[in-house]
Amino acid sequence: MGEFELIARHFARPVRRAVLGVGDDCALLSLSPGQQLATSTDLLVEGRHFLSTVDPQRLGHKALAVNLSDLAACGARPLAFTLSLALPQADEQWLAGFARGLFALADAHGCELVGGDTTRGPLAINISIFGELPAGQALLRSGARPGDDVYVSGCLGDARLALEVFRGTANVPGEAFERVRLAMECPQPRVALGLALRGVASSAIDLSDGLLGDFGHVLQRSGCGACLEVDAVPRSAELAAQPLALQRLCTLAGGDDYELLFTAAPAQRQAVAQASRAAGVAVSRIGRIEPEPGLRLVDAQGQPVPNVWTSFDHFRS
C-alpha cells in the first residue's frame, strides 16, 4: 500500500463544515461571525508518550484527545484538525484500528480531519487542531486573581498509577488495573466543561504534565501564588487503595490526566456547580489563589507538606 492509497483508504472523508478538506494543498475553514480561531498542536512519539504495546484504536483516540483537551482549557468549540503520521511501515490492521479510534472521538465532538501528511520513520503522531470561540471570551492561564478558588475536574493520578504498574513499582489487580489503564490510554477531553466555564472561570489549563507543574504555569502567568490542599485532590478508589506516598506522587506529579484545572472567584461557586452539572463532569475545590508568589502545600489538617515532587519535562525526565 502506497502513501496516497493509505490516505484514501483510511483518512479521506467528506467534510461538512470546512470549506475544503483533504486532497488539496491547503484546507479552507470559515469562522462564524464574531468568532476567534483557537489553535493548538501536540506531538506524540512512541516510547516517550505511549508504549509500543498500546492498542492502535486507543492510540488514535488519545492522539486527538490531548488536542481537544487544549481547546477545552481555552473554552473553544472544536472545528477541525490536521494529522501528520510517521510510520515504520504501512500496516493495514494497525491503520484501521488507529483511524477507528481517531474518528470515533472526532465525530463525538464534531471535529473534521481536513489535511495532514505521512512519511516513513519511527512512529510519531502530530495533530494540529482548530476551534472557535467568541472574541474576548477565551479562558487563559493569566487570569487568576488573589482570593480565587482553585478547582480540578474528574479524578487525577490513574494514568500515572497505570504507568507504575507497567514499571513494576505498583500492584493493581485484575479489573482495577484495566480501569486505570483506560485512564492512561483513553483520556476524556473536557470540552463541554470548558465551554460551560466561559464567563465563569478566571483562568484554566489542561493537566498534561502533572498538577503541580501545570498549576505553576498559571501562577507564573497570573503573577500570583496559591495554597493547595494536597489530600483534597480527587482520586479514584483504585488509587486511594495505594500507599499515601504513591497517591500523592500520582495526583500531584503524575501527568497524562487531561483534566482541567481552573480558578474562579468565590462569588462564582454556584455558577461553577451549574457548569459541572451541565457538562456532567465532577469538579473539586482544592485550594485558593494568594497574592504572595509561590505554591504552598498543606494536608487536610492545614499542616505544611514539603514539595518534593517534579512534574514531567521532556528534556529533564
Side-chain angles (χ1 to χ4, degrees):
M1 180 169 51
E3 177 182 3
F4 298 104
E5 183 183 357
L6 182 160
I7 294 169
R9 185 176 300 181
H10 295 287
F11 299 111
R13 303 173 95 200
V15 293
R16 297 182 178 180
R17 290 198 297 178
V19 178
L20 183 65
V22 174
D24 226 293
D25 290 304
C26 291
L28 300 177
L29 306 176
S30 291
L31 297 181
S32 303
Q35 301 287 298
Q36 288 182 320
L37 181 69
T39 183
S40 184
T41 190
D42 272 292
L43 174 65
L44 302 183
V45 177
E46 184 181 61
R48 193 63 174 170
H49 300 95
F50 58 90
L51 302 176
S52 61
T53 55
V54 67
D55 179 272
Q57 183 169 338
R58 291 187 174 187
L59 183 58
H61 171 105
K62 184 172 183 176
L64 183 58
V66 302
N67 285 270
L68 286 167
S69 186
D70 286 331
L71 291 186
C74 196
R77 187 178 303 281
L79 290 177
F81 67 100
T82 61
L83 167 68
S84 293
L85 274 176
L87 300 166
Q89 58 186 353
D91 183 310
E92 179 76 26
Q93 186 175 358
W94 189 95
L95 284 163
F98 179 87
R100 190 162 52 247
L102 178 83
F103 285 125
L105 187 62
D107 291 344
H109 290 278
C111 195
E112 301 179 317
L113 177 61
V114 295
D117 195 14
T118 57
T119 190
R120 183 186 293 273
L123 182 56
I125 307 154
N126 184 80
I127 287 180
S128 293
I129 198 163
F130 309 94
E132 66 176 8
L133 71 163
Q137 292 190 29
L139 302 177
L140 305 176
R141 299 178 180 183
S142 56
R145 297 293 179 263
D148 282 357
D149 296 323
V150 181
Y151 296 87
V152 292
S153 65
C155 290
L156 305 189
D158 278 357
R160 179 59 179 268
L161 178 57
L163 181 60
E164 294 303 322
V165 173
F166 279 116
R167 288 173 169 172
T169 61
N171 180 44
V172 180
E175 292 183 3
F177 172 65
E178 289 305 316
R179 287 192 290 270
V180 298
R181 182 178 184 177
L182 191 66
M184 180 176 75
E185 296 178 346
C186 284
Q188 299 303 312
R190 304 305 190 184
V191 174
L193 180 61
L195 294 173
L197 287 172
R198 287 196 314 222
V200 175
S202 54
S203 70
I205 190 171
D206 84 313
L207 299 178
S208 57
D209 296 329
L211 170 60
L212 296 185
D214 288 330
F215 189 27
H217 299 316
V218 172
L219 299 181
Q220 181 180 32
R221 294 294 297 270
S222 297
C224 301
C227 178
L228 201 67
E229 187 181 326
V230 297
D231 297 322
V233 178
R235 65 209 68 188
S236 68
E238 290 78 16
L239 183 53
Q242 299 294 317
L244 182 61
L246 181 58
Q247 291 183 46
R248 287 179 172 176
L249 170 68
C250 292
T251 54
L252 299 177
D256 254 10
D257 294 304
Y258 300 103
E259 297 289 350
L260 296 186
L261 179 145
F262 62 96
T263 60
Q268 296 281 19
R269 287 179 183 176
Q270 185 175 353
V272 168
Q274 290 173 343
S276 171
R277 288 192 295 271
V281 177
V283 300
S284 302
R285 186 156 41 95
I286 61 169
R288 66 181 180 277
I289 300 296
E290 298 179 333
E292 299 80 14
L295 178 58
R296 295 191 303 114
L297 305 180
V298 298
D299 63 18
Q301 287 72 47
Q303 296 301 308
V305 175
N307 187 351
V308 297
W309 299 279
T310 302
S311 291
F312 183 78
D313 183 304
H314 289 283
F315 295 100
R316 291 181 177 174
S317 300

